Amino acid sequence: MTEDNRVRIAELSADKKALLVRRLQAKRPEEATGPDHYDVVIMGGGVSGLTLALHLRRSRPDTRVLVVERMSHPVPETTHKVGESTVEIAAHYLRDILGLGEHLATRQIRKFGLRMFFSAHGNTDIASRVELGSSEFPTHATYQLDRGRLENELGRRCEQEGIELVTGSVVQQVDLTPDQPYHHLRVQTGGTDRDVHARWVVDATGRNHVLQRKLELHREVGHAANAAWFRVGHPIDISGWTDDADWHGRITEGRRELSTNHLMGPGYWVWLIRLASGSISIGIVADARTHRFDGFNTLDRALNWLAEHEPQCFAEVSRHRDKVQDFRVMKDYSYSCDKVFDGRDRWCLTGEAGVFLDPLYSPGLDLIAISNGLVVDLVSRSLGGEDVTAAAAVHDALFRRITDMWLAIYENQYSLMGNARVMSSKVIWDTAFYWGVFGLLFFQDRFRTVVASPTVAADLTRLTGISNRVQAFFREWAAVDDRDLDGRFVDLYSPLDFMVQLHNGLADELSDAQFAERFSANVRLFEQLAGQLITTVIDTHQDRYDDDRAVAQIQAWQRDPLIGELIATYRRERHRRPTSDGWMVLGTTADSRQRQIEEVSYA
Ligand SMILES: Cc1cc2nc3c(=O)[nH]c(=O)nc-3n(C[C@H](O)[C@H](O)[C@H](O)COP(=O)(O)OP(=O)(O)OC[C@H]3O[C@@H](n4cnc5c(N)ncnc54)[C@H](O)[C@@H]3O)c2cc1C
């Protein structure tokens, strides 16, 4: 270095010096010094770590990746882990981005969508419960996964693609040294220690939370719920629970037992998920405020709990009690994180090592797909010589904003699960929102660039406001309407024009301009749907003059400026672009509703 340069560097501020060091490190030639130096070390080879490794190699084939996994492979196929149901984002990720289409089609089960049965008449007759689900397969396939089978397949593929996967090994120590070109990790296999070095470290250790604990990033959330689950080595078939011909006749395609079936009640839901290995996974998920964890935290207690709340399910499980394969619990499963990506210090968290919200709607693998996409973007750019400090801050803020928005779908909403009327509309709204916002962003590969487009970023802000207001509206509505609903079928897909349109539109080929236009159109659609829902609910309840609570609530809605805007959009758009109204099961005829809508005035 010349004396001149030495002087100029000495005069730089501390920040500028640090920036220069990072730039020089990024530009440093591949000076990797042997087999213990990697571009990326992924701690944890569960589904998030293994999919990330494959994704990285597919995006940047010469990336040197080491995955360290505590468990030895092959892992048990059926009873390995929880997280067996996928929805569209995860299915697209595994099938189309990672190339697992054949494995999913031949070694796992094609899922027949989500299906819910709401509590009625003591839950002894499935046919008398309100059913919410689809009568036919939506276009984009989703899957039920034997988790061990998936992780074994992912492990095999990692090795085939030149990723070093060491199983039966534990990361014992991580020394983050951002001012050096490589971080240091100590890995133990059997009784032997090995030192490895990584430019980037990704924590995918799930609830072991290696980096979250080390860096004190854990953030509590206001959602407290618990879960218990077990697998039964017998394919319990929910279709065999009744002979009712009308009930059977509702389904035109597919088999109910291949849905993710949910038995819904106040503050809880029970899942039934059929697995390709022939077993069934059964889980209880309940709000901590309504159902004590020690009421179902052992197998005997869980069965007693089912006998009390879900007697028909209990009777079926009891018949196969001798085939129960495992029993697991998770207390207070929901949490968040103060930071998931750091571009300056070259670390990331993905999967449950970062954030876990709630299993309802199966978003776990979706969040993995979204965060892995952002990690791959950062790491590839950084290894290509770019300083990604700012990009990581943007990705980090986006990911945490999305998870906060997603959390509002669950927080304080478990009380609605016993209300078939409100919950039916909520599930349809939540699914539409998932397809039209998160799904569209993911299928169109826009998460990486959301912030670069001012219109899309502004639309996302508007959508956050609408979503949060509608979630609060569901609670307010449930508080003034807890009437029972007869055992009808609510088809959440084919009869609803906007559901088909949002679902089918996921994979459309869109240019940048077309995408921005579609995203804005979806914002208007959600404004219109919110306005349609609120108008219809107000209309249904506005003659309850003798009910002070209902009157006060309607007046509060009528004074709310955001609700006023949503209703105005609905009124403006409904003739030009009408939307199906079968997603609001209110028991009024369309005609009387229409007539009364005209009479409602909004302050
Ligand atoms: C009740 C419940 C139901 C759920 N249902 C669904 C669902 O239906 N669909 C869905 O998509 N998601 C679901 N999820 C979420 C899903 O289970 C998780 O998103 C997913 O399993 C997280 O994967 P992961 O790879 O981040 O963590 P894990 O699968 O836990 O993998 C972490 C890995 O890290 C390894 N490890 C830990 N520490 C170390 C160490 N120091 N060194 C080396 N290795 C280490 C572990 O052995 C493990 O294999 C559910 C979650 C819960 C709680």
Side-chain angles (χ1 to χ4, degrees):
M1 190 187 301
T2 64
E3 191 51 35
D4 233 20
N5 279 346
R6 220 185 292 277
V7 172
R8 277 159 61 190
I9 290 170
E11 284 169 353
L12 288 175
S13 67
D15 276 358
K16 288 205 168 131
K17 259 188 216 151
L19 182 66
L20 182 64
V21 168
R22 287 201 301 278
R23 290 218 166 118
L24 290 173
Q25 279 166 0
K27 284 205 170 97
R28 200 179 280 244
E30 295 288 313
E31 98 261 33
T33 53
D36 290 326
H37 286 70
Y38 298 90
D39 293 319
V40 188
V41 171
I42 300 174
M43 306 187 289
V47 69
S48 64
L50 295 171
T51 51
L52 176 64
L54 282 175
H55 197 167
L56 274 165
R57 287 284 289 200
R58 288 191 156 224
S59 300
R60 193 174 179 279
D62 53 355
T63 309
R64 295 156 307 165
V65 184
L66 170 70
V67 183
V68 185
E69 166 53 39
R70 185 171 49 193
M71 295 188 73
S72 298
H73 272 221
V75 295
E77 284 210 327
T78 302
T79 54
H80 180 47
K81 283 181 190 159
V82 72
E84 295 145 322
S85 189
T86 62
V87 275
E88 284 75 9
I89 292 178
H92 175 56
Y93 185 56
L94 295 173
R95 183 186 56 232
D96 306 321
I97 298 180
L98 300 181
L100 286 156
E102 199 192 331
H103 170 80
L104 294 168
T106 59
R107 303 279 294 144
Q108 307 283 2
I109 286 179
R110 177 163 182 190
K111 171 177 157 181
F112 187 29
L114 156 159
R115 191 167 303 278
M116 291 179 173
F117 298 93
F118 293 95
S119 286
H121 314 298
N123 295 338
T124 52
D125 172 19
I126 193 89
S128 70
R129 304 174 75 155
V130 174
E131 177 181 3
L132 173 75
S134 181
S135 55
E136 59 186 54
F137 278 109
T139 313
H140 299 293
T142 55
Y143 308 91
Q144 310 290 36
L145 305 171
D146 264 302
R147 272 292 296 272
R149 193 175 276 193
L150 176 72
E151 289 183 20
N152 288 334
E153 177 66 17
L154 289 169
R156 268 192 296 276
R157 287 185 184 227
C158 280
E159 286 172 343
Q160 275 165 11
E161 301 213 7
I163 293 154
E164 194 178 329
L165 168 64
V166 290
T167 61
S169 302
V170 178
V171 175
Q172 288 222 305
Q173 186 183 330
V174 192
D175 303 312
L176 294 175
T177 48
D179 296 331
Q180 306 290 321
Y182 289 90
H183 302 298
H184 164 256
L185 299 96
R186 179 150 302 151
V187 176
Q188 191 176 68
T189 310
T192 314
D193 282 350
R194 176 183 168 203
D195 289 310
V196 297
H197 308 273
R199 288 189 177 221
W200 279 81
V201 172
V202 180
D203 184 3
T205 58
R207 285 167 192 263
N208 201 13
H209 294 304
V210 170
L211 281 188
Q212 199 179 83
R213 282 186 285 125
K214 184 181 172 73
L215 302 172
E216 299 183 356
L217 298 169
H218 181 85
R219 182 154 62 82
E220 294 288 336
V221 294
H223 176 45
N226 307 305
W229 62 92
F230 52 97
R231 266 63 56 136
V232 183
H234 179 86
I236 291 173
D237 179 357
I238 201 166
S239 307
W241 293 13
T242 180
D243 295 330
D244 189 301
D246 288 345
W247 189 85
H248 283 282
R250 289 171 185 169
I251 306 299
T252 53
E253 190 189 21
R255 287 152 48 203
R256 276 190 181 89
E257 69 268 26
L258 303 185
S259 295
T260 298
N261 285 298
H262 301 61
L263 307 176
M264 310 292 290
Y268 77 83
W269 56 286
V270 172
W271 82 66
L272 295 119
I273 302 175
R274 283 279 294 273
L275 302 170
S277 55
S279 298
I280 186 164
S281 168
I282 300 179
I284 299 170
V285 188
D287 190 322
R289 289 171 301 192
T290 6
H291 297 269
R292 290 169 57 102
F293 184 48
D294 61 11
F296 58 87
N297 65 351
T298 66
L299 180 59
D300 285 339
R301 288 177 185 175
L303 294 178
N304 287 339
W305 187 97
L306 283 177
E308 184 185 347
H309 299 281
E310 292 293 343
Q312 192 171 23
C313 179
F314 168 73
E316 297 292 333
V317 173
S318 297
R319 268 198 275 284
H320 306 287
R321 174 84 162 82
D322 57 324
K323 300 195 188 70
V324 171
Q325 296 169 303
D326 65 341
F327 181 80
R328 310 272 174 87
V329 295
M330 197 167 285
K331 192 172 183 208
D332 197 11
Y333 52 66
S334 191
Y335 53 86
S336 191
C337 189
D338 283 335
K339 194 183 222 186
V340 287
F341 311 133
D342 190 315
R344 192 190 73 96
D345 291 358
R346 308 189 313 276
W347 57 256
C348 297
L349 313 182
T350 192
E352 285 196 348
V355 176
F356 181 75
L357 304 175
D358 195 275
L360 186 71
Y361 306 129
S362 312
L365 293 171
D366 286 354
L367 289 176
I368 288 173
I370 295 168
S371 90
N372 279 1
L374 297 173
V375 173
V376 168
D377 183 52
L378 292 175
V379 171
S380 306
R381 283 161 64 181
S382 163
L383 294 174
E386 196 179 322
D387 181 345
V388 293
T389 307
V394 169
H395 284 5
D396 178 68
L398 174 71
F399 186 76
R400 289 183 301 106
R401 181 171 162 198
I402 283 162
T403 53
D404 283 350
M405 194 171 163
W406 215 311
L407 180 64
I409 291 168
Y410 307 113
E411 209 169 346
N412 300 315
Q413 304 299 58
Y414 266 56
S415 61
L416 308 179
M417 289 178 180
N419 188 324
R421 195 181 307 269
V422 174
M423 200 63 196
S424 296
S425 294
K426 174 173 158 56
V427 172
I428 294 170
W429 167 272
D430 290 344
T431 308
F433 203 85
Y434 167 78
W435 287 339
V437 180
F438 305 123
L440 189 67
L441 285 167
F442 187 79
F443 271 69
Q444 301 294 326
D445 190 18
R446 300 286 157 170
F447 275 109
R448 290 182 296 130
T449 53
V450 166
V451 181
S453 163
T455 56
V456 177
D459 282 341
L460 199 58
T461 302
R462 174 75 177 158
L463 284 165
T464 309
I466 298 168
S467 170
N468 291 343
R469 186 63 192 92
V470 171
Q471 295 299 334
F473 174 81
F474 287 125
R475 286 195 295 278
E476 294 156 359
W477 174 20
V480 295
D481 188 355
D482 58 358
R483 293 168 297 150
D484 284 340
L485 204 57
D486 56 14
R488 67 180 77 187
F489 177 46
V490 184
D491 191 329
L492 58 65
Y493 183 63
S494 48
L496 303 180
D497 49 13
F498 60 91
M499 292 294 273
V500 174
Q501 174 198 321
L502 290 170
H503 179 84
N504 286 344
L506 286 169
D508 285 350
E509 278 186 27
L510 302 175
S511 66
D512 288 354
Q514 286 167 328
F515 172 77
E517 203 176 300
R518 172 76 63 84
F519 205 65
S520 292
N522 284 0
V523 177
R524 284 195 303 281
L525 174 65
F526 288 113
E527 287 176 341
Q528 181 178 346
L529 289 171
Q532 180 187 29
L533 174 70
I534 297 165
T535 304
T536 310
V537 171
I538 290 176
D539 171 55
T540 310
H541 293 283
Q542 68 171 341
D543 54 359
R544 289 170 61 185
Y545 306 112
D546 52 348
D547 183 336
D548 291 349
R549 205 165 166 204
V551 170
Q553 183 57 72
I554 290 171
Q555 287 172 345
W557 286 331
Q558 290 173 336
R559 280 194 304 271
D560 184 316
L562 178 53
I563 284 181
E565 285 174 33
L566 300 173
I567 289 172
T569 305
Y570 167 59
R571 288 180 158 183
R572 204 175 51 241
E573 299 288 327
R574 72 191 145 125
H575 298 299
R576 200 168 63 85
R577 213 181 34 171
T579 45
S580 306
D581 64 3
W583 65 291
M584 300 162 294
V585 277
L586 294 158
T588 54
T589 67
D591 281 348
S592 75
R593 197 158 55 228
Q594 194 57 44
R595 205 172 47 250
Q596 289 171 26
I597 285 163
E598 309 296 347
E599 293 159 11
V600 178
S601 68
Y602 301 98

